[in-house]
Amino acid sequence: MQSILIVLFGIAGMLFGWFVYSKFIATKIFKMDDNFVTPAHELNDGVDYVPTNKLVLWGHHFTSVAGAAPIVGPAIAVYWGWVPAVLWVVFGTIFFAGVHDMGALWASTRHKGKSMGALSESVIGKRTRVLFMIVVFLLLLMVNAVFGVVIANSLVANPSAVVPAWAAIVVALIIGQLLKRQIPLIPLCVIGVAVLYATIFMGAEMPVSLPTEMFGLTDKANWIVILFIYAAVASLLPVWMLLQPRDFINGMQLLVGLVLLYGAVFVVMPDITAPAFNTQTAIDTPSIIPLLFVTIACGAVSGFHGIVSSGTSSKQLDKETDGRFVGYLGAVGEGCLALITLVAVSGVMLAVSPEEWHEIYSHLGAGSVSAFITGGSNLISEGWGFSAEIAATLLAVMVVLFAGTTMDSGVRLQRYIIQEWGDIYNIGVLKNGLVATFVAVACCLLLAFGAGGASGTGGMVLWPLFGSTNQILASLTLLVLSVYLIKLGRPAKYTLIPMVFVILMAFFAGLIKLVEYYEKGNWLLVVLDLIVLVVSVLVMLEAWSVIGKHKQNKTSGEGEIEN
């Protein structure tokens, strides 16, 4: 019964965020305008800049930002207790993530679809752009490396997910071609989702596993290589061909999954066996503050979302006012996924007693995706009568497809950055899309295997560093939005207050991990962590300087009037 109270609390909060808070921010602070000509129309090239139906764009945006992170983070963070995790997910979604995502989308749209890195130059200065892009590139490296490992682990642990995961790509390619020929969206959506779920039943009957050793690599390592080859090819295709239809179908698939999970909660009404506040943590467990706020990144607030909002979504926005639907509602969807993940890993569907729950969560990092799949599949099986195998395959496919769409977008965004560097520093070879993609994928593979060894399976050691880097980037995005609002003469407290909180938590967490990596002699992560921390300080100083100069100019009557 306790689980229903958690769900009702979360839904009430999300509804307030969507109907009240997001409307206020969009109309009174960002002042979104239907008459504004978006970059999708102004720069329409049929490849990256494409005016897109807001439902389709929401599907792309939602599944790109969701990935596996709103499952992995909450499934780990529940170790400290379900109460702090639930509170951070709900309030983080309403006041942090929604404003951050919608704001990045709006600001990028107002600047011809520029990425947050390029936008930081327009708002703050040239040096900030270089520094910002370093953090963005490192974060994308971590996102792609981590999600490559997550997908590989899921495919090895759930061979029944292999057929539906790859079949989804074929379905998306076909739908992309049909949409291009003006076939109505709704029937295509229904057919696409039906085919996708049919392949889930096929996957349960036709599990596929790679040899445990092939080409001198383990099965997990080979999956990582295959996944990055796919991501490289997918990132070079026009967005209408694969990215948009795949993300839309995945978005619909997630909605079905959320309906099954939330519906099962109301049918089964499971109790919570996890502690509200865990007082039996292991001796070496780090403090809940600040680590909770970087362990749950996506699902509360995430810098990666700003990259997607300004990297791909802003280039496809049909109307500026669609930014509220795509950006804020995308964050709400992710918050709902994080919330139901917490229910799945906290209740009797995972562990029938508090003692059994503590056995599963013996230390921070235990449980994770496997706990979500186990708890969620038992919940669906009990509530809807599916076999446990089918339910587990369904959730495993959901994890794989979400992480896969994030990799698609992540590699594409890395290509943009490398090509942007080619333009900035006049390095002709880096302007080439194939070369830029090769460099991006090579860097991701080096990090995945460099952090995790030849098997690649240890790459999840990147997760804490990904969390702190991700949140630092979120604070930097909120900082750029704040400076932009100040220059426009509009209230900036709605972005400044979240920015201050997030940067304090993320920077403190980064320092803690820096000491930990140093003591363990993990020099790769020491260097990456140190770069991110130093760069974030420099960006903050640059922004503070710009705000100070702007106030002086305004006082002396020399301030610029911006539209």
Side-chain angles (χ1 to χ4, degrees):
M1 186 66 179
Q2 292 170 306
S3 57
I4 290 183
L5 298 179
I6 294 173
V7 166
L8 291 176
F9 169 72
I11 291 176
M14 305 293 182
L15 290 174
F16 165 80
W18 169 244
F19 287 107
V20 180
Y21 196 66
S22 72
K23 187 175 181 180
F24 165 74
I25 296 295
T27 57
K28 302 299 183 181
I29 307 302
F30 297 154
K31 298 182 180 179
M32 292 181 168
D33 183 4
D34 258 345
N35 295 319
F36 180 79
V37 180
T38 64
H41 289 282
E42 183 183 359
L43 305 173
N44 189 344
D45 62 4
V47 179
D48 295 317
Y49 292 85
V50 181
T52 303
N53 179 290
K54 68 179 182 180
L55 290 172
V56 175
L57 183 55
W58 176 86
H60 153 69
H61 181 83
F62 178 30
T63 52
S64 292
V65 300
I71 295 172
V72 176
I76 293 175
V78 74
Y79 180 72
W80 284 295
W82 63 264
V83 169
V86 167
L87 291 176
W88 175 229
V89 164
V90 174
F91 290 112
T93 296
I94 298 170
F95 299 108
F96 291 71
V99 176
H100 170 279
D101 296 13
M102 179 171 61
L105 187 53
W106 162 72
S108 176
T109 301
R110 284 279 166 168
H111 291 80
K112 298 185 183 296
K114 287 183 178 180
S115 67
M116 285 311 302
L119 183 58
S120 66
E121 177 182 1
S122 302
V123 175
I124 300 177
K126 288 185 178 181
R127 286 179 296 187
T128 303
R129 177 184 184 179
V130 175
L131 296 170
F132 206 104
M133 288 174 68
I134 291 173
V135 178
V136 170
F137 187 77
L138 290 178
L139 178 65
L140 287 171
L141 275 180
M142 295 176 205
V143 167
N144 291 330
V146 168
F147 283 9
V149 174
V150 168
I151 298 172
N153 288 343
S154 296
L155 292 177
V156 171
N158 303 276
S160 59
V162 173
V163 169
W166 291 100
I169 298 170
V170 178
V171 172
L173 286 168
I174 294 172
I175 289 178
Q177 295 296 328
L178 294 176
L179 283 174
K180 193 70 172 176
R181 288 162 175 76
Q182 306 301 315
I183 304 298
L185 174 63
I186 299 301
L188 285 181
C189 171
V190 173
I191 294 171
V193 173
V195 172
L196 180 60
Y197 274 90
T199 63
I200 289 174
F201 288 92
M202 290 173 55
E205 298 297 324
M206 301 168 54
V208 176
S209 299
L210 293 180
T212 54
E213 185 173 346
M214 185 171 63
F215 306 122
L217 297 173
T218 65
D219 48 357
K220 291 181 180 180
N222 276 303
W223 273 125
I224 292 172
V225 173
I226 292 170
L227 289 165
F228 274 108
I229 292 173
Y230 157 74
V233 174
S235 70
L236 290 167
L237 296 176
V239 292
W240 63 265
M241 187 177 292
L242 177 61
L243 186 70
Q244 287 180 348
R246 171 175 171 160
D247 288 358
F248 183 67
I249 290 297
N250 287 349
M252 296 303 101
Q253 182 251 162
L254 173 62
L255 285 179
V256 173
L258 288 177
V259 168
L260 291 176
L261 286 166
Y262 276 95
V265 169
F266 286 95
V267 172
V268 180
M269 295 186 292
D271 287 325
I272 299 297
T273 54
F277 299 91
N278 191 2
T279 59
Q280 301 180 38
T281 57
I283 295 175
D284 61 347
T285 302
S287 171
I288 185 174
I289 298 175
L291 268 298
L292 171 70
F293 302 100
V294 299
T295 302
I296 300 180
C298 302
V301 62
S302 166
F304 179 73
H305 295 197
I307 304 175
V308 174
S309 292
S310 63
T312 58
S313 298
S314 64
K315 296 175 175 63
Q316 303 170 58
L317 202 63
D318 184 33
K319 297 179 180 179
E320 188 178 56
T321 50
D322 289 350
R324 175 172 170 247
F325 185 91
V326 174
Y328 198 95
L329 200 59
V332 168
E334 185 170 79
C336 290
L337 176 57
L339 186 68
I340 199 64
T341 295
L342 287 170
V343 172
V345 299
S346 301
V348 295
M349 294 298 110
L350 175 67
V352 296
S353 68
E355 292 75 21
E356 185 177 336
W357 187 89
H358 280 290
E359 288 180 9
I360 295 172
Y361 277 91
S362 59
H363 61 277
L364 183 66
S368 192
V369 174
S370 61
F372 166 73
I373 292 176
T374 300
S377 61
N378 288 339
L379 182 61
I380 291 175
S381 179
E382 183 75 17
W384 298 95
F386 293 126
S387 70
E389 184 180 8
I390 292 295
T393 300
L394 187 152
L395 294 182
V397 169
M398 190 165 76
V399 171
V400 168
L401 292 183
F402 280 0
T405 54
T406 300
M407 283 184 67
D408 290 0
S409 297
V411 173
R412 183 181 292 265
L413 291 166
Q414 275 187 291
R415 170 169 63 84
Y416 291 163
I417 290 176
I418 293 170
Q419 288 179 298
E420 213 170 315
W421 278 336
D423 287 328
I424 294 171
Y425 301 109
N426 198 26
I427 304 174
V429 68
L430 292 183
K431 299 178 185 180
N432 182 280
L434 287 172
V435 173
T437 301
F438 175 80
V439 172
V441 169
C443 290
C444 292
L445 287 171
L446 285 172
L447 185 58
F449 289 105
S455 68
T457 55
M460 283 303 290
V461 72
L462 291 167
W463 186 262
L465 180 56
F466 158 71
S468 59
T469 304
N470 194 30
Q471 301 304 70
I472 285 174
L473 181 59
S475 67
L476 296 182
T477 299
L478 289 167
L479 177 63
V480 172
L481 291 175
S482 300
V483 175
Y484 183 42
L485 288 170
I486 289 170
K487 285 188 170 184
L488 291 173
R490 300 177 192 173
K493 61 183 178 181
Y494 303 100
T495 51
L496 270 177
I497 293 173
M499 183 275 291
V500 171
F501 178 83
V502 172
I503 191 61
L504 288 176
M505 295 299 105
F507 197 82
F508 187 19
L511 289 176
I512 292 174
K513 301 310 295 184
L514 182 65
V515 173
E516 180 183 319
Y517 296 143
Y518 176 79
E519 291 176 345
K520 292 181 178 180
N522 195 328
W523 302 113
L524 171 63
L525 299 186
V526 166
V527 171
L528 292 176
D529 197 354
L530 192 59
I531 290 173
V532 171
L533 292 175
V534 171
V535 167
S536 64
V537 170
L538 292 176
V539 171
M540 291 289 174
L541 293 175
E542 287 281 333
W544 183 259
S545 174
V546 169
I547 292 173
K549 290 178 181 178
H550 177 75
K551 288 183 176 179
Q552 288 179 357
N553 292 337
K554 188 176 181 182
T555 302
S556 63
E558 298 175 4
E560 296 180 1
I561 299 176
E562 301 195 25
N563 296 318

